[in-house]
Amino acid sequence: MELVKVTIDNKTVSVPSDYTVIEAAQIAGIHIPQLCYHPELTKEGACRVCVVEIEGARGLGAACVYPVNDGMVVHTNTPLVRETRKTVVELLLANHPQECLICQKNNNCELQTIAADLGIREIPYTGEKRNAKKDESNPSIVRDPNKCILCGRCIRACQEHQGLDVYAFVNRGFKTLVEPAFSYDLGEVTCTYCGQCVAVCPTAAICEKDDTEQVFDALGDPNKYVIVQTAPATRVALGEALGLPAGEIVTGKMVAALRRLGFDKVFDTDFSADLTIMEEGYEFLDRVVNGGTLPMITSCSPGWINFIEMKYPDLLPHLSTAKSPQAMFGALTKTYWPETQGIPLEKIYSVSVMPCTAKKAERVRPQLQSNPGIPDVDAVITTRELGRMIKNAGIDFKNLPEEKYDSPLGVSTGAAVIFGVTGGVMEAALRTIYAVLNEGKDIPGINFMPARGMEGIKEATVDVPINGNNVTVKLAVAHTLKNARTLMDKIRAGEADYHFIEIMACPGGCIGGGGQPQPVNAEVRAARTAAVYRVDEDKTIRQSHKNPDIIALYDNWLGKPLGEKSHHLLHTHYKEQPREV
Amino acid sequence: MVEKTLEKSWEQLNQLLESYRCTKGSMIPVLQQAQEIFGYLPKDVLIKISKELDVAISQVFGVVTFYSQFHLEPRGKNIIRSCQGTACHVRGAKAVLDAIRERLGLKDGQITTPDNEFTIETVACIGACGLAPCLMINDDTHGRLTAESVAPMIDKYYNNKK
């Protein structure tokens, strides 16, 4: 790409000629406030908060969509620019509920930050206010259209990342709203609850359903025995919610914080991720050897499960029947733990900390009840919600000591933690499958690099001996539902000769999940991903089948992978979720 | 009888969609013609159009709600267009409109009578300012109206259709 010279606030930078002013300003280290702009989405130029003065141009230009040209001179901080931005934000605030103090996004709201930065002290405009219905119809996501500033980020995230188009602008003028088709609730349309709209919403118009209060209630109840599990991707992101930089590994501090919050047992979803590999790995081998449905597709990501149940119900037999790690863990907390510890089932309250909004909906699936009528997981909180609980409890997170998970459901391997990134489940499964088929010999190098990286769809092959024959196993890894759709269409058309496919609904996998701290962008995801691989490298045991507590669990209680007990507790079934639109 | 017409309408819709297949930017003409076939745009029709044109249903709904020419509810046999332009406004168009709504027994926000005889909508100007306040019923223009004179006029249409 040809380079052009642009001077912004007296600083000259060379940038590619297809940049817009806002991108050039980033290179120059100059911050321009932004609301509708998001670095990973199509530029819209809707909010006008990013206006700048461009010499020779008529009027002010929106920096996010204004293309650069050679010799361009831009001023981002003149009296006219400041005055205009201020007016733009004042007008937005004129139709925005003045309830920041009691808002879920208080202190974490882009509109609030901009209003503060611009020094807005009064809202000079009064007029009609939007009065739209709040959507609290589902277990995962709450929409409050009255807090919407019509930036359209959610529309674009859903369309461009997930290919689902749940939202669109509806009506016109003052009556404009962002709504699903026919103004249906999210629960009535093809929404997978992946939460990518939540992740990009600059205000509190789209939030995770807050379940912190019920967790606090359980923790305060002396008759409850409260167990918590923490998903792989939470340990590399929670720090961001508490003032630490992206990609900081806070596993030990998170465990310490959970103890201080009062959890009776602090366990790790990583343990059940190892368990998932055992069940899913053996299921894969069983399908290959006995002619089961192939390709087999992973089933850990609940947004993905909702997607296939809504959009590709004919392909459900391809899904691994292995429950997700959260669900396996939930099952253990309501069967193995009360049984072996002598704790009455009704005392146990099982909480999970997830990077995911869709996990809240997974929790209420009727298929996930080991004891009829009793959900295996009682509450799901996102990484963001845990961050808020830690603040609420006055815990000085940064200065906490590093503590260890409780035993035995807290011991895990490096294979488990990489469940948090795209390609991780595939890599973890391969580490075990390869060893099982090669008389316990490790896969060369342990790491399986072709599964790694941020490419949308990755393909790889690996040679393994099956029944005395050398078989080339074909693999595919996809993240985002848009890429998942590409693979599903290939399977439907009979053009996919893969054996094993991993799919995660969110960009980058769970580290980019809809329940993770904001903001999320490519750099943040890269930092979290690198941290996940660091945790893996630092583990002495890096293959699920070598986890001593997994081995002990099978020996003492479960029997064998795909055995009868596993079948009842660790496997599930799927059902079409028909949707009108 | 009604069933048969509906069946015919769907047949026409299929023909319409066939003629626009693979044509980019065809959503608005398709919606307009579909509305001509059905009289309004029922949900099923929008879903069908969304699938056939491969445009997300949320986007189709967005377009339909953006333009006032599209209607999501069935419309009456008689369409009343009550002018609320400047000239009509200063000569009491609001009172005329209220009188019509009262006569038709329309509740807040309702624009079509339950018996589907009348739909009333407001327009900005029908180019008959000299007759203000005025309105159109179907293709007829009526002017110099008062709240008192408008009701019997409406009744005439009602009776006509009977």
Side-chain angles (χ1 to χ4, degrees):
Chain A
M1 182 64 64
E2 190 197 338
L3 291 180
V4 295
K5 275 194 168 36
V6 183
T7 306
I8 306 173
D9 297 344
N10 297 322
K11 195 168 171 192
T12 304
V13 286
S14 288
V15 297
S17 58
D18 65 345
Y19 267 34
T20 62
V21 171
I22 212 164
E23 290 160 332
Q26 237 154 24
I27 301 288
I30 291 160
H31 176 73
I32 296 175
Q34 51 197 244
L35 281 172
C36 71
Y37 171 80
H38 191 279
E40 296 182 324
L41 302 172
T42 305
K43 301 169 182 90
E44 186 134 313
C47 76
R48 317 312 281 186
V49 166
C50 67
V51 286
V52 292
E53 248 181 272
I54 294 157
E55 283 188 14
R58 210 157 47 98
L60 299 175
C64 68
V65 288
Y66 208 105
V68 293
N69 55 55
D70 201 36
M72 180 184 252
V73 181
V74 180
H75 303 280
T76 74
N77 183 22
T78 65
L80 178 63
V81 165
R82 278 198 304 274
E83 195 51 44
T84 308
R85 282 183 189 158
K86 209 168 165 181
T87 306
V88 165
V89 175
E90 283 166 355
L91 285 165
L92 282 174
L93 295 178
N95 187 18
H96 192 85
Q98 311 297 319
E99 51 180 61
C100 296
L101 284 177
I102 52 166
C103 178
Q104 188 164 322
K105 288 288 277 291
N106 190 14
N107 275 338
N108 193 22
C109 167
E110 293 180 44
L111 180 63
Q112 187 185 41
T113 305
I114 286 177
D117 288 353
L118 296 179
I120 290 172
R121 293 290 171 267
E122 60 165 343
I123 299 159
Y125 310 103
T126 50
E128 204 181 332
K129 292 224 178 196
R130 197 186 293 139
N131 187 14
K133 181 178 67 89
K134 208 169 169 178
D135 176 4
E136 298 177 283
S137 62
N138 66 81
S140 293
I141 295 169
V142 176
R143 289 177 55 247
D144 184 353
N146 295 330
K147 291 182 178 169
C148 175
I149 56 166
L150 305 176
C151 70
R153 279 191 197 172
C154 53
I155 299 176
R156 286 172 280 151
C158 190
Q159 184 173 65
E160 294 167 20
H161 284 156
Q162 307 297 48
L164 274 168
D165 286 279
V166 164
Y167 304 110
F169 287 115
V170 166
N171 304 327
R172 71 195 285 181
F174 182 77
K175 290 186 175 140
T176 307
L177 292 171
V178 172
E179 299 255 89
F182 307 111
S183 300
Y184 280 178
D185 288 334
L186 280 183
E188 298 172 285
V189 299
T190 312
C191 171
T192 65
Y193 307 134
C194 75
Q196 286 306 306
C197 56
V198 180
V200 296
C201 181
T203 70
I206 314 180
C207 286
E208 72 278 2
K209 186 172 169 289
D210 190 305
D211 289 313
T212 56
E213 211 48 55
Q214 65 194 78
V215 175
F216 270 126
D217 285 350
L219 289 170
D221 183 344
N223 292 318
K224 289 263 184 269
Y225 182 96
V226 191
I227 302 175
V228 66
Q229 55 165 320
T230 62
T234 56
R235 68 207 66 206
V236 296
L238 175 66
E240 292 163 43
L242 297 155
L244 293 169
E248 186 119 339
I249 300 164
V250 295
T251 321
K253 289 188 192 305
M254 176 165 74
V255 172
L258 290 165
R259 283 220 177 87
R260 278 153 187 73
L261 280 168
F263 287 96
D264 294 292
K265 285 289 170 193
V266 181
F267 289 144
D268 199 354
T269 316
D270 281 16
F271 175 85
S272 52
D274 278 332
L275 195 55
T276 301
I277 287 301
M278 298 304 289
E279 293 296 329
E280 197 168 292
Y282 277 91
E283 182 190 356
F284 176 68
L285 292 175
D286 180 62
R287 287 191 188 210
V288 172
V289 173
N290 296 322
T293 307
L294 291 174
M296 187 179 90
I297 314 176
T298 58
S299 57
C300 304
S301 165
W304 152 241
I305 296 300
N306 287 334
F307 179 78
I308 186 171
E309 286 186 332
M310 289 173 192
K311 287 286 197 184
Y312 294 87
D314 51 312
L315 301 183
L316 288 175
H318 288 273
L319 281 180
S320 163
T321 60
K323 286 181 184 174
S324 73
Q326 158 172 280
M328 284 198 184
F329 203 99
L332 292 179
T333 60
K334 295 291 174 84
T335 55
Y336 168 76
W337 199 249
E339 212 176 295
T340 56
Q341 304 296 311
I343 301 162
L345 175 64
E346 58 276 12
K347 282 191 77 172
I348 290 186
Y349 191 87
S350 181
V351 177
S352 53
V353 184
M354 293 284 140
C356 182
T357 43
K359 285 286 176 195
K360 288 174 184 274
E362 182 189 276
R363 184 189 85 78
V364 298
R365 282 173 81 88
Q367 293 100 311
L368 301 179
Q369 296 180 351
S370 305
N371 305 282
I374 304 172
D376 284 343
V377 176
D378 295 290
V380 177
I381 53 170
T382 59
T383 317
R384 285 194 295 271
E385 287 166 274
L386 177 59
R388 294 203 294 271
M389 285 184 76
I390 290 170
K391 284 184 184 168
N392 188 331
I395 295 167
D396 179 8
F397 189 76
K398 286 181 198 171
N399 293 316
L400 283 176
E402 309 264 328
E403 291 183 10
K404 284 203 170 353
Y405 284 103
D406 288 312
S407 190
L409 305 181
V411 174
S412 65
T413 73
V417 74
I418 60 174
F419 264 60
V421 293
T422 170
V425 176
M426 175 67 71
E427 182 172 343
L430 278 181
R431 290 182 190 176
T432 288
I433 292 169
Y434 189 94
V436 169
L437 291 172
N438 284 288
E439 289 145 3
K441 223 168 65 194
D442 290 345
I443 189 166
I446 304 287
N447 295 344
F448 186 69
M449 301 314 278
R452 299 190 182 184
M454 288 298 145
E455 208 185 315
I457 299 175
K458 291 161 279 189
E459 290 173 318
T461 55
V462 61
D463 291 331
V464 284
I466 296 174
N467 287 346
N469 302 317
N470 211 29
V471 176
T472 300
V473 176
K474 290 192 167 185
L475 315 163
V477 173
H479 58 131
T480 76
L481 295 172
K482 199 172 191 174
N483 291 319
R485 185 185 291 243
T486 307
L487 285 181
M488 291 313 109
D489 287 342
K490 264 175 109 171
I491 296 178
R492 249 187 199 169
E495 292 162 5
D497 59 348
Y498 307 113
H499 295 90
F500 194 4
I501 297 176
E502 177 211 284
I503 290 181
M504 296 190 188
C506 290
C510 315
I511 50 107
Q516 294 280 55
Q518 291 157 298
V520 184
N521 53 45
E523 292 98 90
V524 170
R525 278 193 215 103
R528 292 176 188 164
T529 302
V532 162
Y533 287 122
R534 278 206 306 283
V535 176
D536 171 30
E537 299 274 348
D538 288 347
K539 290 265 186 183
T540 33
I541 306 174
R542 296 181 60 205
Q543 288 129 303
S544 300
H545 59 281
K546 294 186 178 170
N547 181 333
D549 287 342
I550 291 282
I551 297 168
L553 182 69
Y554 277 111
D555 285 351
N556 303 334
W557 196 72
L558 266 177
K560 60 180 191 341
L562 303 188
E564 206 198 319
K565 213 163 193 174
S566 297
H567 177 74
H568 286 299
L569 295 178
L570 308 181
H571 289 260
T572 184
H573 61 274
Y574 309 99
K575 226 174 113 191
E576 179 178 1
Q577 295 186 43
R579 287 288 187 275
E580 186 185 2
V581 289
Chain B
M1 191 64 198
V2 174
E3 271 307 303
K4 203 145 195 195
T5 358
L6 198 60
E7 207 173 280
K8 209 172 157 218
S9 299
W10 277 93
E11 209 173 282
Q12 281 176 288
L13 178 67
N14 283 330
Q15 282 167 11
L16 170 70
L17 288 164
E18 196 53 50
S19 69
Y20 277 97
R21 197 170 298 285
C22 303
T23 316
K24 270 208 152 198
S26 56
M27 188 184 348
I28 287 176
V30 166
L31 288 171
Q32 283 169 330
Q33 290 170 61
Q35 181 161 279
E36 245 164 64
I37 295 169
F38 289 87
Y40 71 110
L41 291 168
K43 195 189 287 175
D44 295 353
V45 169
L46 293 179
I47 293 171
K48 172 86 176 162
I49 291 173
S50 149
K51 282 190 180 136
E52 295 294 326
L53 298 185
D54 198 21
V55 177
I57 184 66
S58 57
Q59 302 287 336
V60 174
F61 186 70
V63 168
V64 169
T65 54
F66 184 87
Y67 293 105
S68 56
Q69 61 172 306
F70 294 124
H71 306 282
L72 290 160
E73 299 294 331
R75 292 168 41 86
K77 289 180 195 136
N78 300 291
I79 311 290
I80 306 172
R81 293 187 181 83
S82 167
C83 182
Q84 303 292 312
T86 314
C88 290
H89 174 75
V90 297
R91 292 184 62 90
K94 181 74 171 58
V96 171
L97 177 64
D98 289 345
I100 302 170
R101 291 188 62 89
E102 202 193 319
R103 187 66 179 187
L104 297 178
L106 293 170
K107 294 190 198 80
D108 276 351
Q110 231 179 4
I111 61 161
T112 300
T113 53
D115 61 4
N116 261 358
E117 282 294 326
F118 289 93
T119 288
I120 183 156
E121 53 193 36
T122 58
V123 292
C125 185
I126 58 171
C129 306
L131 299 175
C134 59
L135 58 74
M136 288 182 78
I137 302 181
N138 306 327
D139 291 329
D140 310 334
T141 308
H142 302 270
R144 303 219 169 89
L145 300 166
T146 62
E148 291 74 35
S149 71
V150 77
M153 199 183 70
I154 301 245
D155 289 351
K156 221 164 66 191
Y157 280 87
Y158 190 77
N159 293 333
N160 271 354
K161 293 287 165 183
K162 284 264 163 165

